[in-house]
Amino acid sequence: MPTYGERTIAFERGEGLYLFDTEGRRYLDFGAGIAVVALGHAHPHLVKALQEQAAKLWHCSNLYRIPGQEKAGERLVANTFADTVFFCNSGAEAIECGIKMVRKHYDHVGQPERYRVMTIEGAFHGRTLATLSAGKQEKVIKGFEPLVEGFDQVPFGNLNALKGAITAETGAILLEPVQGESGVKPMDLDYIRAVRDVCDEFGLLMFLDEIQCGMGRTGKLFAHEWAGVKPDIVASAKGLGGGFPVGACLATEKAAAGMIAGSHGSTFGGNPLAVAAINAVLDVMLQDGFLPQVEKMGKLLRDKLETVAARHPKVLAGVRGAGLMLGLRCVVPNGDVVAALQRNGMLTVPAGDNIVRLLPPLVLEPQHVEEAIGILDRTCMELAAA
Ligand SMILES: *Cc1c(COP(=O)(O)O)cnc(C)c1O
């Protein structure tokens, strides 16, 4: 179906930060398949892990124990707030699991009327019916009404509006610590902490969408760690499988109390091949020094981007974001910047609010920053002259 508009280049292979198209042209990949290829293309450890697992067992169903799934779950629990994990195949499915968990939780504690989930303007939670109903973005919901019932939305960063919108039917607040699709908007850490307090005050579940900002992207395994809060439910996907399609819904024992045998399931979720990818990603990401290096590289990239933006005020208005999830605020249409960068051999991703998103693989090195800055500088010069 023509759901993706016109596409021009096709890639044949990738290596680290680079992609090579069918004509042999090399591109510096600062999109990483939209924050997915966290360890770069064809990372030797991931390739080896998948090749070895592929030769042994791809799939067997969750009717049986899957040791690799138990291992991945235990590692996610050991390194996060979570007590328990459900594995699925995508971000939207991880959010769906969280939404179902919220409803089931309140049913379990005898308050089934508290099924409503509050979301934040600018949210993107996926494209299934429930997740697009949660996000409420005009261009995502258009033509797909009626929406799934049970979602309310409040303005970004406004704590009073959020408190004022809580009713006896509210069960959870769902937010992205750094909004991605709407334009790389980090939430204030104070706001995130205040939302935790509100959840405690009103007995609500704090449900975070860390599908894009999690898995090391901001320099912590999950972005909420910067705020020092303990959420109740977190959805993960994108970087979690390093390019293999996976998702996971992490939760506390309390939030997941209603999720018992038979209440949820997935044919493919957490199958041996998928969890081999997750475990291989965790092998690398949990090594000492990996996350601090992401933070360091994020600072380096951001500093250099600020300088480029200052040099080209006719094209760029500034930089925002967190870690290696950065957005260039554009003066000219962001689509023109993305296209011009692509012509000059660098891949980026457009976002809302006239933003160009930079989401490089987390294994970025200073030489890649230099190369990106060179291409960006040249591209801005061309755009300013046009
Ligand atoms: C990508 C994304 C999703 C949806 O993930 P899919 O794997 O495409 O279903 C949900 N929330 C956020 C914040 C995302 O970035």
Side-chain angles (χ1 to χ4, degrees):
M1 289 183 201
T3 58
Y4 296 104
E6 202 204 344
R7 294 167 289 176
T8 48
I9 19 179
F11 296 111
E12 205 161 61
R13 70 187 178 89
E15 197 184 315
L17 271 278
Y18 298 100
L19 277 171
F20 298 85
D21 72 8
T22 43
E23 254 112 77
R25 191 162 176 229
R26 192 178 89 150
Y27 294 81
L28 181 63
D29 186 6
F30 265 50
I34 318 191
V36 167
V37 189
L39 302 181
H41 298 280
H43 189 289
H45 182 67
L46 269 66
V47 170
K48 184 161 172 278
L50 276 181
Q51 281 174 340
E52 283 178 5
Q53 187 59 48
K56 282 195 285 193
L57 178 64
W58 290 27
H59 182 84
C60 63
S61 156
N62 284 304
L63 289 169
Y64 311 101
R65 281 184 58 190
I66 299 174
Q69 188 187 108
E70 292 169 11
K71 182 177 168 193
E74 279 160 13
R75 295 168 91 188
L76 287 170
V77 164
N79 287 282
T80 67
F81 74 97
D83 304 314
T84 181
V85 183
F86 180 85
F87 289 102
C88 50
N89 314 289
S90 68
E93 279 180 89
I95 297 285
E96 286 271 352
C97 176
I99 295 167
K100 286 182 70 176
M101 199 186 320
V102 170
R103 291 191 176 192
K104 197 77 170 171
H105 171 85
Y106 287 103
D107 182 72
H108 178 76
V109 299
Q111 297 179 296
E113 71 283 0
R114 295 179 75 175
Y115 67 95
R116 304 193 73 83
V117 175
M118 186 113 65
T119 65
I120 310 297
E121 275 176 19
F124 178 81
H125 298 303
R127 292 194 180 252
T128 61
L129 274 176
T131 57
L132 69 80
S133 302
K136 294 192 192 291
Q137 291 310 295
E138 182 65 35
K139 67 169 197 217
V140 177
I141 63 181
K142 196 166 181 290
F144 295 112
E145 288 100 340
L147 299 183
V148 173
E149 225 268 309
F151 298 97
D152 304 298
Q153 197 159 71
V154 291
F156 185 97
N158 185 334
L159 201 66
N160 286 334
L162 182 134
K163 272 181 145 176
I166 294 170
T167 70
E169 294 185 339
T170 308
I173 300 173
L174 168 56
L175 53 153
E176 301 157 75
V178 185
Q179 284 192 346
E181 301 305 308
S182 68
V184 194
K185 292 187 200 149
M187 294 186 178
D188 271 348
L189 298 183
D190 279 339
Y191 175 81
I192 294 173
R193 284 189 278 264
V195 171
R196 176 70 267 178
D197 291 342
V198 169
C199 287
D200 292 339
E201 186 185 339
F202 291 87
L204 310 176
L205 296 172
M206 185 182 199
F207 178 6
L208 301 180
D209 180 342
E210 293 230 22
I211 291 164
Q212 193 164 150
C213 64
M215 289 312 286
R217 181 80 15 213
T218 67
K220 299 269 190 206
L221 193 58
F222 288 102
H224 67 263
E225 294 170 37
W226 291 109
V229 299
K230 199 171 165 303
D232 300 293
I233 305 172
V234 169
S236 177
K238 290 205 163 90
L240 179 65
F244 200 88
V246 299
C249 188
L250 288 67
T252 61
E253 193 108 48
K254 181 181 150 231
M259 303 297 273
I260 54 164
S263 51
H264 196 41
S266 168
T267 297
F268 295 119
N271 88 1
L273 205 52
V275 293
I278 296 176
N279 277 313
V281 167
L282 290 174
D283 289 341
V284 178
M285 227 178 252
L286 295 177
Q287 269 169 22
D288 272 353
F290 183 90
L291 294 168
Q293 179 66 12
V294 172
E295 186 190 358
K296 202 170 122 197
M297 293 307 301
K299 284 197 175 117
L300 177 71
L301 178 60
R302 190 186 182 124
D303 284 352
K304 303 238 169 188
L305 290 172
E306 304 269 11
T307 320
V308 179
R311 266 203 298 276
H312 303 285
K314 282 190 197 150
V315 182
L316 300 176
V319 186
R320 70 184 183 210
L324 285 173
M325 183 171 176
L326 294 169
L328 293 170
R329 290 194 291 125
C330 298
V331 177
V332 299
N334 60 348
D336 294 357
V337 179
V338 171
L341 285 170
Q342 185 174 306
R343 278 197 299 277
N344 288 331
M346 177 172 161
L347 304 172
T348 57
V349 186
D353 221 11
N354 209 29
I355 292 279
V356 170
R357 253 183 297 179
L358 304 178
L359 305 160
L362 307 180
V363 293
L364 178 78
E365 289 179 23
Q367 85 238 27
H368 303 119
V369 173
E370 288 309 320
E371 190 179 347
I373 294 299
I375 296 174
L376 188 60
D377 221 6
R378 182 152 52 88
T379 305
C380 287
M381 228 129 53
E382 289 168 12
L383 286 168

